[in-house]
Amino acid sequence: MSWWTLRPRLPLLNVVDDRGEGPVVVLIHGIASSSVTFQNVLPLIEDRHRCISIDLLGFGTSPIVEDCDYTLADHASAIRRTIASLRLKEPFTLVGHSMGSLIGARYAARWSRTVKKLVLVSPPIYLSPGELSDDLERGMMDFYLKAYRYLRENKEFTLQNAAIVERFLAIPKAMDINERTWTPFVKSLENSIESQTTVSDLASVTAPVEIVYGSLDQFASEGSMRIVARMRGVEVHRVSASDHLIGKRLARVVAQAIG
């Protein structure tokens, strides 16, 4: 019996939106957010695609599981079970934003035959600071990892300053950091972002990969982007004057990457 089959059975996630006809596109948002993340993308693709938006485990309108570790494997497994329930007949395009892109990479590496294209939007791909040669990039990587650790280890500060934290994490107002979402928030931060294996996952993805991020993205690591851009089957699009969120300028490039 494999390690994957031993994973606890996770609940079905909420399919927030299922619209349009044509080749299927599945969209998954990032940490402490919801499917409203893609509000600027859907109008650009729904005329030629069936667009399925799913809220991640513990966020948006999906269930919260208190005894879950919220690892990349947990999130990917919950998405896999939800997609399997839809009985899709053909491989689909998987689009993830922020932490959702890290989960998407794990999903595509694990269930490669179900994914025909992987689109990662504003992915916070992090390596150990020691793996980067540039002093500034190493310093920024170290800063973010320490900041994330501080947020999850100081609950009272994080909840009392939720508005500031939301601005720092660039989380759309559709989802707050609060008592209800605290467990999935801190566990996802620690086990899916800080402890990610995204570069390794991308090396196992067989589908074409398109990465879209903004030149002003406050969470992008240029050093990491240079590394993944050299990987086989990966194409990177750097969009000027765009930040971490999917504004209209970034949305147009995402729509082009989806096809």
Side-chain angles (χ1 to χ4, degrees):
M1 184 175 292
S2 73
W3 178 82
W4 279 87
T5 58
L6 291 173
R7 185 162 297 281
R9 188 173 178 84
L10 293 166
L12 290 174
L13 305 178
N14 189 41
V15 177
V16 179
D17 205 357
D18 188 342
R19 66 172 82 171
E21 296 182 358
V24 173
V25 176
V26 174
L27 304 108
I28 51 177
H29 61 81
I31 191 169
S33 188
S34 72
S35 293
V36 74
T37 294
F38 299 100
Q39 62 184 351
N40 290 321
V41 176
L42 288 173
L44 304 178
I45 63 173
E46 62 185 346
D47 62 333
R48 60 186 184 278
H49 290 287
R50 178 184 174 188
C51 305
I52 300 172
S53 301
I54 300 174
D55 274 350
L56 290 177
L57 185 69
F59 300 113
T61 52
S62 283
I64 291 175
V65 180
E66 292 296 331
D67 59 352
C68 177
D69 289 329
Y70 292 88
T71 62
L72 288 174
D74 290 328
H75 281 297
S77 292
I79 292 169
R80 173 58 179 165
R81 182 166 182 243
T82 303
I83 290 175
S85 73
L86 299 175
R87 302 184 183 279
L88 302 179
K89 296 180 180 179
E90 301 290 339
F92 54 87
T93 295
L94 180 58
V95 182
H97 174 255
S98 195
M99 186 182 76
S101 65
L102 311 185
I103 297 166
R106 173 59 63 88
Y107 185 103
R110 178 66 179 87
W111 293 285
S112 58
R113 293 183 180 180
T114 68
V115 178
K116 71 175 184 180
K117 178 186 279 190
L118 178 63
V119 180
L120 309 182
V121 187
S122 306
I125 300 175
Y126 297 150
L127 301 168
S128 167
E131 297 179 83
L132 298 172
S133 58
D134 185 271
D135 289 340
L136 178 59
E137 291 172 355
R138 282 202 309 272
M140 288 301 297
M141 189 76 70
D142 185 59
F143 166 77
Y144 279 118
L145 294 176
K146 286 181 178 178
Y148 296 151
R149 186 164 59 249
Y150 181 85
L151 292 176
R152 61 179 171 77
E153 291 179 350
N154 294 272
K155 180 178 181 179
E156 184 176 354
F157 169 86
T158 301
L159 292 180
Q160 287 182 351
N161 296 277
I164 297 173
V165 174
E166 286 170 8
R167 287 197 295 273
F168 170 73
L169 294 176
I171 297 172
K173 286 293 184 180
M175 189 67 190
D176 291 333
I177 302 169
N178 50 47
E179 286 284 356
R180 174 182 171 273
T181 61
W182 180 254
T183 294
F185 170 68
V186 296
K187 288 187 175 181
S188 292
L189 197 56
E190 180 177 14
N191 299 327
S192 288
I193 296 180
E194 294 174 62
S195 305
Q196 64 178 270
T197 55
T198 305
V199 172
S200 176
D201 288 332
L202 287 174
S204 299
V205 174
T206 56
V209 179
E210 303 229 19
I211 296 177
V212 180
Y213 76 104
S215 62
L216 304 178
D217 190 333
Q218 55 271 54
F219 300 103
S221 165
E222 294 292 348
S224 297
M225 289 299 180
R226 284 197 299 273
I227 291 171
V228 298
R230 297 189 185 102
M231 298 177 72
R232 177 179 54 83
V234 176
E235 184 172 353
V236 176
H237 310 272
R238 188 173 186 269
V239 183
S240 63
S242 294
D243 59 16
H244 191 68
L245 300 182
I246 308 180
K248 292 184 178 180
R249 183 191 296 264
L250 202 67
R252 288 194 291 271
V253 181
V254 173
Q256 292 170 3
I258 292 170

